[in-house]
Amino acid sequence: MVVADGMPLVWASRLLRQALPERVTGADLIWSLSAMAARGGWPVYLLGAPPGVAARAAWELADGCRGLRVCGVDAPPYGFDRSEEGVARVREKLVEAQPRIVFVGLGFPLQDRLIAGLRPHLPRTWFVGCGSAIAFAAGSVARAPLWMRRTGTEWLFRLASEPGRLARRYLVDDVPFATRLLTRSLLLRR
């Protein structure tokens, strides 16, 4: 399942007169899916974020979603994905924990590649690529004010908060992509 995690996708859908109902972020999904998992008795697993952050997020989610069972957390070291041994360690922990939902907060495209490799080993498990959602849930990274999220300017807040990490991604990759997407959508509308 793919959701519209960026406002440019929502804006483009509106330009094409096929409006998506709303933006759906990993930061929102981690809470709504954890609440659903708690009601259904499904164990969840948090994979990603710096050391200690996933454990804090697990505590916050369990505190906010009565009955949630977090069956594991893992913060693999930077570069773990460059060796089969590193990926195997992550896979073994997951298979042993047997979660129904795994929140993978390792960023694009790493989390997407890892999910593709892990799915065959846990075919009944839902994997959710959630970016910084684990850090948001832990409270270790601040989320933009609601008005910025609603107006599509959350990226400016994030850029100001973490310029060293996000400047290239947002300014070199994302802004040109969004410009092309919106321009093409506008042209197709005519």
Side-chain angles (χ1 to χ4, degrees):
M1 178 172 20
V2 177
V3 296
D5 188 4
M7 280 306 292
L9 296 174
V10 175
W11 295 330
S13 74
R14 290 176 186 162
L15 286 172
L16 293 170
R17 295 184 178 99
Q18 298 176 354
L20 295 169
E22 65 184 320
R23 178 177 176 227
V24 180
T25 69
D28 296 323
L29 278 176
I30 198 168
W31 287 99
S32 60
L33 290 177
S34 291
M36 182 194 71
R39 287 190 303 273
W42 297 353
V44 303
Y45 193 99
L46 304 176
L47 175 59
V53 173
R56 177 66 188 180
W59 189 91
E60 293 290 342
L61 289 166
D63 187 54
C65 303
R66 177 155 297 165
L68 180 67
R69 185 166 69 93
V70 179
C71 64
V73 298
D74 191 9
Y78 181 77
F80 79 95
D81 58 305
R82 294 188 198 130
S83 74
E84 180 50 41
E85 296 81 20
V87 173
R89 276 193 294 276
V90 168
R91 183 175 54 244
E92 288 165 12
K93 289 179 183 179
L94 272 169
V95 169
E96 184 178 329
Q98 289 296 302
R100 288 295 306 272
I101 300 174
V102 180
F103 295 104
V104 185
L106 296 169
F108 177 82
L110 172 57
Q111 66 191 19
D112 303 86
R113 288 189 201 124
L114 185 63
I115 289 168
L118 293 172
R119 286 183 63 219
H121 300 278
L122 292 159
R124 296 187 48 208
T125 299
W126 283 65
F127 288 87
V128 181
C130 64
S132 294
I134 295 170
F136 289 147
S140 65
V141 174
R143 218 160 157 214
L146 187 57
W147 71 267
M148 292 185 92
R149 289 184 253 157
R150 286 186 175 153
T151 59
T153 56
E154 182 172 15
W155 69 276
L156 288 172
F157 180 87
R158 301 274 323 277
L159 179 60
S161 301
E162 301 180 78
R165 188 173 81 80
L166 297 175
R168 176 170 173 72
R169 179 172 129 196
Y170 286 169
L171 300 176
V172 176
D173 298 330
D174 292 357
V175 169
F177 170 79
T179 302
R180 287 190 310 274
L181 173 67
L182 295 173
T183 301
R184 177 174 256 181
S185 298
L186 190 57
L187 292 172
L188 287 172
R189 178 179 174 155
R190 295 179 181 193

